[in-house]
Amino acid sequence: MSRTFPRRSSSHHARLGRLVVLEGMPGSGKTTTASTLAAVGYAVVGEYVTPGGITIPVPHHPHVGDDDAHQANWLIKHRHVTSACHGGPVLSDRDWLSALAYAASLGDQALLANRASWAYGHLALGHLGVPDAYLIVACSPQTSLARRADRLTPDHPWSTPSGLARLADFYTDPPAVIGRTHPALAAELRAASWHRLPAVDLATIRQHVTSLLTTP
């Protein structure tokens, strides 16, 4: 079953509209779900996009060490998401929360604090946004590694059991984890509704996403 976390009001951030962000463990089925829904007509913004809004295939994502490119992507995506939301409900394959998830998966509290401050500053400026809902999809570290065996890289924490275990801990309740470092950012995130799915099949993920997209 889906687990829903309490929703609280945001202190100052303007809502984007009906935006659902699909987050969670790598290999859990997020990108496949997003691609499937895009193919049947849903408005979908890919995980990484060009300045023109074209989804960048996974093999061409920035190198793990190219931090500037990763952070720039979340800002580029926000512009496309904001534009797309004027036309109706939008699904985003990940958003800037992934930048904080990455820091947490490293166990690097200084990096997590730095990225939380970065995100909070850009939220205040309107360069990033808080979605209407997050759907967090889980899978075990072992399953994640097995499903991505052909694209693991030794320098990425999401290619190791320990890094994935820390990532899974983060996704159990992201606002709570972030709140230990940046309470104000955590309060902004709690303005979204949070839904967590255990390891499930793609049809179930799609069902939950479409339900969130069509909820008034």
Side-chain angles (χ1 to χ4, degrees):
M1 293 180 62
S2 170
R3 176 184 173 191
T4 303
F5 298 118
R7 179 172 180 163
R8 303 178 187 178
S9 60
S10 172
S11 60
H12 67 257
H13 180 62
R15 310 299 300 163
L16 287 175
R18 175 51 61 178
L19 170 65
V20 175
V21 174
L22 194 54
E23 274 278 353
M25 296 292 285
S28 60
K30 301 179 307 302
T31 298
T32 301
T33 298
S35 298
T36 301
L37 290 174
V40 296
Y42 283 88
V44 175
V45 178
E47 181 178 358
Y48 282 80
V49 296
T50 67
I54 304 301
T55 298
I56 299 173
V58 172
H60 300 296
H61 286 184
H63 185 270
V64 63
D66 191 351
D67 200 58
D68 288 344
H70 290 286
Q71 299 304 90
N73 177 67
W74 311 124
L75 298 172
I76 292 169
K77 279 191 64 163
H78 174 72
R79 294 196 292 271
H80 291 291
V81 162
T82 301
S83 177
C85 277
H86 292 307
V90 175
L91 173 67
S92 176
D93 183 3
R94 294 190 177 276
D95 73 352
W96 54 270
L97 184 69
S98 289
L100 281 74
Y102 175 81
S105 72
L106 286 171
D108 189 333
Q109 293 303 307
L111 180 61
L112 180 59
N114 178 271
R115 290 194 170 179
S117 294
W118 172 87
Y120 190 72
H122 281 292
L123 280 172
L125 293 170
H127 299 164
L128 294 174
V130 175
D132 189 78
Y134 279 105
L135 179 62
I136 309 294
V137 187
C139 73
S140 71
Q142 295 75 19
T143 299
S144 178
L145 291 170
R147 290 178 176 173
R148 300 177 299 118
D150 60 338
R151 49 192 173 93
L152 299 177
T153 55
D155 51 354
H156 200 298
W158 297 2
S159 294
T160 67
S162 58
L164 288 169
R166 287 189 290 267
L167 184 65
D169 287 342
F170 173 83
Y171 279 130
T172 298
D173 189 346
V177 176
I178 294 167
R180 299 173 200 141
T181 299
H182 202 300
L185 179 60
E188 294 289 339
L189 284 167
R190 289 191 179 102
S193 62
W194 290 81
H195 310 266
R196 189 170 183 271
L197 284 176
V200 290
D201 58 80
L202 293 173
T204 301
I205 299 172
R206 175 175 170 171
Q207 177 184 355
H208 279 268
V209 171
T210 53
S211 175
L212 288 170
L213 286 170
T214 56
T215 299

